[in-house]
Amino acid sequence: MAKVNANQLRKGNVVEINGKLLAVIAAQNIQPGKGTPVMQLELRDLSSGLKTTERYRTTESVERVFIEDREFTYLYTEGDLITFMDVENYEQLSVPAEVVGDQAVWLQDGMKVDIALYEGKAVSVTLPQTVTLEITETEPTVKGQTASSSYKPAIVTNGQRVMVPPHVSAGVRIIINIAEGGVYLERAKD
């Protein structure tokens, strides 16, 4: 950790305030007509995900934390622990499921993820933007519904429900945007 002036903080930095790790989402330097300039920081708590806003005088010191981002490969889930392997040194790291959050349902064997580490402890896990899965069941395709704007429900191989266009049938591999909560993008080209 290092003490830095509030005006040196930028988006993506991590700070420690009252024993909590907070990521800077936005940093704005406000110069009022009278008085001292302030830095308004929009922060997100890394453990709970809650957003807060803090104001500091530009000369005030803040504890900046240095986070190490490393690439890992998903191995398996056992109970409430998810195990990943470091791609550089092949060491395994078990992460509590709440750190991964709701996106844990999209994990696939061998999937590459980015894990932010603070003092050897995982503080966040970032999955890829998209994932390719096969549709296991959906309503049958109705002839002549190829250009319709309505969508139908489908179940993919991991058991999640995704809305797909009417012309897509079971057995088709599709690309899903998991960053937006599991939205159909297109058919896979493989």
Side-chain angles (χ1 to χ4, degrees):
M1 282 195 290
K3 283 205 178 269
V4 295
N5 284 346
N7 64 348
Q8 294 176 317
L9 294 175
R10 302 284 177 260
K11 181 180 178 181
N13 291 156
V14 178
V15 294
E16 183 178 339
I17 301 171
N18 299 330
K20 292 183 180 181
L21 292 179
L22 303 160
V24 178
I25 299 169
Q28 181 181 8
N29 193 340
I30 300 172
Q31 302 265 350
K34 277 186 166 180
T36 57
V38 294
M39 280 298 287
Q40 181 163 319
L41 303 173
E42 193 175 321
L43 304 163
R44 183 177 51 84
D45 189 325
L46 290 177
S47 59
S48 68
L50 297 173
K51 290 183 182 178
T52 60
T53 303
E54 296 280 340
R55 279 187 176 206
Y56 293 97
R57 290 189 304 274
T58 54
T59 55
E60 257 185 288
S61 291
V62 181
E63 289 284 343
R64 181 170 172 210
V65 177
F66 292 96
I67 299 290
E68 180 184 6
D69 280 322
R70 300 217 328 246
E71 188 177 49
F72 284 78
T73 303
Y74 169 70
L75 293 178
Y76 60 89
T77 302
E78 189 175 318
D80 63 344
L81 288 177
I82 301 172
T83 304
F84 299 93
M85 180 181 66
D86 191 324
V87 296
E88 290 178 14
N89 58 19
Y90 305 111
E91 288 182 9
Q92 291 186 9
L93 175 71
S94 293
V95 177
E98 62 262 12
V99 173
V100 180
D102 297 339
Q103 292 190 335
V105 296
W106 301 109
L107 286 169
Q108 295 176 316
D109 288 340
M111 178 183 274
K112 300 265 191 261
V113 300
D114 290 321
I115 299 181
L117 299 167
Y118 172 64
E119 294 181 349
K121 184 178 176 228
V123 290
S124 72
V125 177
T126 307
L127 274 65
Q129 290 279 321
T130 60
V131 67
T132 303
L133 291 170
E134 185 176 323
I135 296 175
T136 56
E137 61 181 84
T138 187
E139 297 169 8
T141 304
V142 177
K143 200 169 185 156
Q145 268 196 329
T146 55
S148 175
S149 63
S150 63
Y151 279 64
K152 64 182 182 180
I155 307 294
V156 291
T157 49
N158 68 350
Q160 293 300 302
R161 185 174 180 251
V162 178
M163 298 302 284
V164 297
H167 64 276
V168 178
S169 58
V172 173
R173 291 176 50 79
I174 60 171
I175 297 174
I176 301 167
N177 184 342
I178 59 176
E180 292 182 17
V183 177
Y184 168 87
L185 286 178
E186 62 184 356
R187 288 175 99 140
K189 292 169 177 57
D190 52 22

